[in-house]
Amino acid sequence: MQRRQLLRTSGQALAAAAGAGALSACTIRRAETSRSSGLPQVRWRMATSWPVSLDTIYGGAETICEQVKAMSGGGFTIEPFAAGEIVPGLEVLDAVQAGSVECGHTASYYYVGKNPAFAFGTAVPFGLSAQQQNAWLYQGGGNEAMDALFADFGAKSFPAGNTGGQLGGWFKRPINNLASLKGLKMRIPGLGGKVMASLGVNVQVLPGGEIYLALERGAIDAAEFTGPYDDEKLGLPKAAQYYYYPGWWEPGPSLTALVNRKAWAELPQEYQAMFSSACYQANLGMLSKYEQRNSEALLRLRRQGIRLEAYSNDILKAAKEATGVMFADLAAGDAGFRDLLERWRLFQKETLNWNRINELPLATFNTDAEGGEG
């Protein structure tokens, strides 16, 4: 089986051709050579999909840059840029592919329009938890599959962050049942957005820095981003009062570092190892930070009177059914998506069977025993 052929979609060849031969704007600078190591001085730029104000998610990019600099003794440095400073937040892959920057920090599901299978690199509806997602990427062949997809766009991919389980978005009015979703204008990307669209939602895709104004001014009726900590920083509780759960479309979403393949090939192996290690640290470190910060932020929001509401069963059931239909349609139209979906489903089935025994019983007991804040 040739994985890249299976995973290729019809539009990828044109997209890859658009950036062919383009690395002149970001050629690796090797002005000096370290006397102690014999390695060249390398200077890269990193475009991100995040505003600086979101310190944890943007901090994933900063962690990569800081660790690379520390491990190389300053020989290899990367400068991060917030969304909009070089390219808009949803165009990081395009910039990396074209060679406008050497690397980027983004979410792969922002690019499902190029290939719907990119969603598996971040999260899919009713999919994997954060721990399961990391196991899928690192041990289940997930990142190899993502790397094969991104190769068709001239990029390499590395897991480089995880926000943990998310909540289900902010709404200006109550969403009591499935009928409440009809005609609603909501910011929600990825395959979750496709499912919401099938339920009658008018889906919008906006970068994080633009969500608050759109919600506050009524351009959209609802929005999701990550979880309580980042949502609070974006000001979303000031624009909407109803906060829904669970975030069924993003139960454990990963973030991705992308590197232009020509730039990667020119990088010394020692620096390649440093970059890979820095991405690993950013991935696990970000998840730990979000677990703590989200729990603290949720308590603050509840004390401020935010209405924390659960999605009704009819919404969850309809979304689950619509997800199955969507997967079937995508698989029928793309052999690469079908192959990846089959492997991903097998992994999910096996890991859920294990987690039903090793985690769920104790988590359920502890939750029932401790109760929760009223």
Side-chain angles (χ1 to χ4, degrees):
M1 182 192 310
Q2 296 185 11
R3 185 167 59 236
R4 288 188 57 186
Q5 288 182 337
L6 287 173
L7 297 174
R8 183 174 294 119
T9 58
S10 59
Q12 290 175 333
L14 291 175
L23 197 60
S24 58
C26 59
T27 301
I28 296 177
R29 288 163 287 281
R30 299 170 179 254
E32 301 177 10
T33 299
S34 169
R35 293 179 181 178
S36 59
S37 68
L39 295 172
Q41 292 282 337
V42 176
R43 302 288 180 266
W44 277 10
R45 298 192 302 168
M46 173 184 283
T48 78
S49 295
W50 331 114
V52 176
S53 60
L54 298 180
D55 59 335
T56 310
I57 198 166
Y58 184 77
E62 291 180 315
T63 294
I64 296 171
C65 300
E66 291 165 359
Q67 290 302 309
V68 163
K69 181 179 180 180
M71 286 186 284
S72 67
F76 181 16
T77 59
I78 306 172
E79 183 177 3
F81 291 86
E85 289 186 328
I86 297 179
V87 294
L90 303 182
E91 297 179 14
V92 172
L93 172 57
D94 303 270
V96 172
Q97 179 185 6
S100 302
V101 293
E102 290 87 355
C103 59
H105 193 260
T106 186
S108 64
Y109 73 170
Y110 287 158
Y111 313 104
V112 294
K114 299 177 184 292
N115 188 325
F118 277 140
F120 290 103
T122 303
V124 298
F126 301 96
L128 304 175
S129 69
Q131 175 61 20
Q132 292 166 349
Q133 178 75 0
N134 277 334
W136 153 249
L137 290 170
Y138 289 128
Q139 299 296 323
N143 193 58
E144 288 84 353
M146 290 301 104
D147 201 44
L149 290 176
F150 280 112
D152 289 322
F153 295 86
K156 286 188 63 63
S157 67
F158 302 83
N162 193 301
T163 66
Q166 298 189 1
L167 294 193
W170 296 87
F171 295 78
K172 286 180 170 291
R173 62 177 186 268
I175 306 299
N176 297 319
N177 49 44
L178 187 60
S180 303
L181 294 176
K182 302 295 184 182
L184 198 75
K185 293 177 290 185
M186 182 177 184
R187 183 271 182 191
I188 174 172
L191 296 187
K194 292 184 180 296
V195 172
M196 278 295 203
S198 74
L199 300 181
V201 173
N202 182 357
V203 170
Q204 311 288 320
V205 179
L206 301 170
E210 298 178 15
I211 299 174
Y212 169 75
L213 284 180
L215 189 60
E216 193 272 335
R217 294 175 179 178
I220 55 177
D221 306 306
E224 66 81 40
F225 188 63
T226 56
Y229 184 74
D230 281 349
D231 293 356
E232 184 181 37
K233 278 186 167 290
L234 288 177
L236 303 189
K238 299 177 183 178
Q241 292 296 302
Y242 296 91
Y243 202 15
Y244 276 78
Y245 68 91
W248 49 266
W249 52 83
E250 295 185 21
S254 295
L255 304 176
T256 300
L258 298 176
V259 178
N260 180 282
R261 282 186 172 260
K262 292 183 179 179
W264 182 258
E266 294 183 9
L267 201 63
Q269 290 184 355
E270 293 88 342
Y271 289 169
Q272 289 180 352
M274 293 173 192
F275 187 90
S276 299
S277 178
C279 288
Y280 188 85
Q281 181 167 339
N283 187 31
L284 300 185
M286 183 188 295
L287 178 58
S288 299
K289 290 177 182 177
Y290 269 119
E291 285 297 301
Q292 177 190 16
R293 294 175 180 182
N294 277 329
S295 62
E296 294 172 346
L298 183 61
L299 288 176
R300 288 194 299 269
L301 294 176
R302 297 188 71 175
R303 289 165 181 162
Q304 293 167 19
I306 292 299
R307 296 286 300 274
L308 188 63
E309 305 283 352
Y311 278 117
S312 63
N313 283 337
D314 67 328
I315 289 179
L316 293 176
K317 289 179 180 178
K320 178 73 169 178
E321 292 174 0
T323 297
V325 172
M326 175 188 65
F327 281 160
D329 289 343
L330 290 171
D334 188 305
F337 185 93
R338 181 171 63 250
D339 172 71
L340 184 52
L341 176 63
E342 290 173 355
R343 288 185 282 143
W344 179 89
R345 276 180 165 164
L346 177 60
F347 178 88
Q348 184 187 39
K349 179 180 179 180
E350 291 175 347
T351 195
L352 283 176
N353 285 337
W354 167 234
N355 290 161
R356 285 189 185 100
I357 302 302
N358 79 320
E359 288 187 359
L360 184 58
L362 183 58
T364 301
F365 174 82
N366 283 340
T367 300
D368 291 343
E370 295 295 329
E373 181 182 359

